[in-house]
PDB file of all heavy atoms in Angstrom:
ATOM      1  N   GLY A  36      94.362  86.638  58.027  1.00  0.00           N
ATOM      2  CA  GLY A  36      95.661  87.176  58.049  1.00  0.00           C
ATOM      3  C   GLY A  36      95.778  88.434  58.888  1.00  0.00           C
ATOM      4  O   GLY A  36      96.334  89.395  58.466  1.00  0.00           O
ATOM      5  N   TYR A  37      95.247  88.373  60.069  1.00  0.00           N
ATOM      6  CA  TYR A  37      95.102  89.599  60.902  1.00  0.00           C
ATOM      7  C   TYR A  37      96.408  90.089  61.480  1.00  0.00           C
ATOM      8  O   TYR A  37      97.333  89.247  61.783  1.00  0.00           O
ATOM      9  CB  TYR A  37      94.175  89.314  62.089  1.00  0.00           C
ATOM     10  CG  TYR A  37      92.875  88.703  61.717  1.00  0.00           C
ATOM     11  CD1 TYR A  37      92.551  87.405  61.956  1.00  0.00           C
ATOM     12  CD2 TYR A  37      91.927  89.511  61.037  1.00  0.00           C
ATOM     13  CE1 TYR A  37      91.311  86.849  61.640  1.00  0.00           C
ATOM     14  CE2 TYR A  37      90.645  88.989  60.701  1.00  0.00           C
ATOM     15  CZ  TYR A  37      90.388  87.640  60.948  1.00  0.00           C
ATOM     16  OH  TYR A  37      89.166  87.118  60.646  1.00  0.00           O
ATOM     17  N   THR A  38      96.538  91.356  61.668  1.00  0.00           N
ATOM     18  CA  THR A  38      97.586  91.952  62.465  1.00  0.00           C
ATOM     19  C   THR A  38      96.887  92.667  63.633  1.00  0.00           C
ATOM     20  O   THR A  38      95.721  93.115  63.528  1.00  0.00           O
ATOM     21  CB  THR A  38      98.464  92.955  61.686  1.00  0.00           C
ATOM     22  OG1 THR A  38      97.665  94.027  61.191  1.00  0.00           O
ATOM     23  CG2 THR A  38      99.181  92.226  60.545  1.00  0.00           C
ATOM     24  N   PHE A  39      97.661  92.830  64.735  1.00  0.00           N
ATOM     25  CA  PHE A  39      97.008  93.333  65.980  1.00  0.00           C
ATOM     26  C   PHE A  39      97.878  94.492  66.520  1.00  0.00           C
ATOM     27  O   PHE A  39      99.118  94.314  66.612  1.00  0.00           O
ATOM     28  CB  PHE A  39      96.952  92.236  67.038  1.00  0.00           C
ATOM     29  CG  PHE A  39      96.246  91.040  66.563  1.00  0.00           C
ATOM     30  CD1 PHE A  39      96.899  90.022  65.958  1.00  0.00           C
ATOM     31  CD2 PHE A  39      94.883  90.926  66.750  1.00  0.00           C
ATOM     32  CE1 PHE A  39      96.235  88.850  65.445  1.00  0.00           C
ATOM     33  CE2 PHE A  39      94.172  89.788  66.319  1.00  0.00           C
ATOM     34  CZ  PHE A  39      94.883  88.703  65.681  1.00  0.00           C
ATOM     35  N   THR A  40      97.264  95.585  66.843  1.00  0.00           N
ATOM     36  CA  THR A  40      97.966  96.728  67.450  1.00  0.00           C
ATOM     37  C   THR A  40      97.176  97.164  68.708  1.00  0.00           C
ATOM     38  O   THR A  40      95.993  97.556  68.625  1.00  0.00           O
ATOM     39  CB  THR A  40      98.027  97.926  66.430  1.00  0.00           C
ATOM     40  OG1 THR A  40      98.665  97.422  65.270  1.00  0.00           O
ATOM     41  CG2 THR A  40      98.875  98.992  67.026  1.00  0.00           C
ATOM     42  N   TRP A  41      97.858  97.095  69.859  1.00  0.00           N
ATOM     43  CA  TRP A  41      97.268  97.413  71.157  1.00  0.00           C
ATOM     44  C   TRP A  41      97.705  98.833  71.490  1.00  0.00           C
ATOM     45  O   TRP A  41      98.844  99.187  71.247  1.00  0.00           O
ATOM     46  CB  TRP A  41      97.748  96.450  72.248  1.00  0.00           C
ATOM     47  CG  TRP A  41      97.277  95.069  72.019  1.00  0.00           C
ATOM     48  CD1 TRP A  41      97.969  94.040  71.368  1.00  0.00           C
ATOM     49  CD2 TRP A  41      96.009  94.472  72.476  1.00  0.00           C
ATOM     50  NE1 TRP A  41      97.175  92.849  71.407  1.00  0.00           N
ATOM     51  CE2 TRP A  41      96.032  93.149  72.081  1.00  0.00           C
ATOM     52  CE3 TRP A  41      94.957  94.973  73.199  1.00  0.00           C
ATOM     53  CZ2 TRP A  41      94.971  92.287  72.362  1.00  0.00           C
ATOM     54  CZ3 TRP A  41      93.892  94.162  73.452  1.00  0.00           C
ATOM     55  CH2 TRP A  41      93.855  92.778  73.091  1.00  0.00           C
ATOM     56  N   ASP A  42      96.753  99.561  72.153  1.00  0.00           N
ATOM     57  CA  ASP A  42      97.118 100.864  72.665  1.00  0.00           C
ATOM     58  C   ASP A  42      96.353 101.055  73.997  1.00  0.00           C
ATOM     59  O   ASP A  42      95.143 100.923  74.036  1.00  0.00           O
ATOM     60  CB  ASP A  42      96.696 101.988  71.672  1.00  0.00           C
ATOM     61  CG  ASP A  42      97.092 103.377  72.139  1.00  0.00           C
ATOM     62  OD1 ASP A  42      98.175 103.487  72.735  1.00  0.00           O
ATOM     63  OD2 ASP A  42      96.346 104.309  71.883  1.00  0.00           O
ATOM     64  N   PRO A  43      97.136 101.323  75.058  1.00  0.00           N
ATOM     65  CA  PRO A  43      98.532 101.387  75.207  1.00  0.00           C
ATOM     66  C   PRO A  43      99.187 100.075  74.975  1.00  0.00           C
ATOM     67  O   PRO A  43      98.515  99.013  75.136  1.00  0.00           O
ATOM     68  CB  PRO A  43      98.796 101.913  76.604  1.00  0.00           C
ATOM     69  CG  PRO A  43      97.596 101.506  77.388  1.00  0.00           C
ATOM     70  CD  PRO A  43      96.431 101.540  76.416  1.00  0.00           C
ATOM     71  N   GLU A  44     100.473 100.080  74.706  1.00  0.00           N
ATOM     72  CA  GLU A  44     101.190  98.844  74.413  1.00  0.00           C
ATOM     73  C   GLU A  44     101.191  97.952  75.704  1.00  0.00           C
ATOM     74  O   GLU A  44     101.563  98.448  76.761  1.00  0.00           O
ATOM     75  CB  GLU A  44     102.652  99.105  73.993  1.00  0.00           C
ATOM     76  CG  GLU A  44     103.344  97.849  73.631  1.00  0.00           C
ATOM     77  CD  GLU A  44     104.722  98.139  72.997  1.00  0.00           C
ATOM     78  OE1 GLU A  44     104.908  99.189  72.400  1.00  0.00           O
ATOM     79  OE2 GLU A  44     105.620  97.297  73.125  1.00  0.00           O
ATOM     80  N   PRO A  45     100.761  96.737  75.634  1.00  0.00           N
ATOM     81  CA  PRO A  45     100.696  95.898  76.816  1.00  0.00           C
ATOM     82  C   PRO A  45     102.133  95.404  77.218  1.00  0.00           C
ATOM     83  O   PRO A  45     103.040  95.338  76.324  1.00  0.00           O
ATOM     84  CB  PRO A  45      99.860  94.660  76.366  1.00  0.00           C
ATOM     85  CG  PRO A  45     100.084  94.604  74.898  1.00  0.00           C
ATOM     86  CD  PRO A  45     100.260  96.031  74.431  1.00  0.00           C
ATOM     87  N   PRO A  46     102.303  94.974  78.465  1.00  0.00           N
ATOM     88  CA  PRO A  46     103.596  94.436  78.817  1.00  0.00           C
ATOM     89  C   PRO A  46     103.933  93.172  78.103  1.00  0.00           C
ATOM     90  O   PRO A  46     105.121  92.863  77.875  1.00  0.00           O
ATOM     91  CB  PRO A  46     103.458  94.216  80.338  1.00  0.00           C
ATOM     92  CG  PRO A  46     102.097  94.512  80.705  1.00  0.00           C
ATOM     93  CD  PRO A  46     101.336  95.077  79.547  1.00  0.00           C
ATOM     94  N   ASN A  47     102.899  92.447  77.737  1.00  0.00           N
ATOM     95  CA  ASN A  47     103.096  91.173  77.038  1.00  0.00           C
ATOM     96  C   ASN A  47     102.010  91.063  75.907  1.00  0.00           C
ATOM     97  O   ASN A  47     100.861  91.213  76.196  1.00  0.00           O
ATOM     98  CB  ASN A  47     102.888  89.984  77.967  1.00  0.00           C
ATOM     99  CG  ASN A  47     103.787  90.026  79.140  1.00  0.00           C
ATOM    100  OD1 ASN A  47     104.960  90.005  79.030  1.00  0.00           O
ATOM    101  ND2 ASN A  47     103.175  90.146  80.347  1.00  0.00           N
ATOM    102  N   GLY A  48     102.443  90.841  74.688  1.00  0.00           N
ATOM    103  CA  GLY A  48     101.453  90.568  73.638  1.00  0.00           C
ATOM    104  C   GLY A  48     101.285  91.620  72.524  1.00  0.00           C
ATOM    105  O   GLY A  48     100.437  91.466  71.665  1.00  0.00           O
ATOM    106  N   GLN A  49     102.097  92.590  72.475  1.00  0.00           N
ATOM    107  CA  GLN A  49     101.939  93.571  71.369  1.00  0.00           C
ATOM    108  C   GLN A  49     102.149  92.810  70.036  1.00  0.00           C
ATOM    109  O   GLN A  49     103.092  92.051  69.911  1.00  0.00           O
ATOM    110  CB  GLN A  49     103.000  94.734  71.448  1.00  0.00           C
ATOM    111  CG  GLN A  49     102.810  95.805  70.424  1.00  0.00           C
ATOM    112  CD  GLN A  49     101.513  96.544  70.452  1.00  0.00           C
ATOM    113  OE1 GLN A  49     100.443  95.939  70.123  1.00  0.00           O
ATOM    114  NE2 GLN A  49     101.518  97.801  70.810  1.00  0.00           N
ATOM    115  N   GLY A  50     101.240  93.028  69.101  1.00  0.00           N
ATOM    116  CA  GLY A  50     101.303  92.365  67.813  1.00  0.00           C
ATOM    117  C   GLY A  50     100.680  90.987  67.776  1.00  0.00           C
ATOM    118  O   GLY A  50     100.728  90.305  66.728  1.00  0.00           O
TER     119      GLY A  50
END
Side-chain angles (χ1 to χ4, degrees):
Y37 308 109
T38 60
F39 305 89
T40 306
W41 295 92
D42 184 36
E44 184 171 332
N47 305 298
Q49 183 63 292

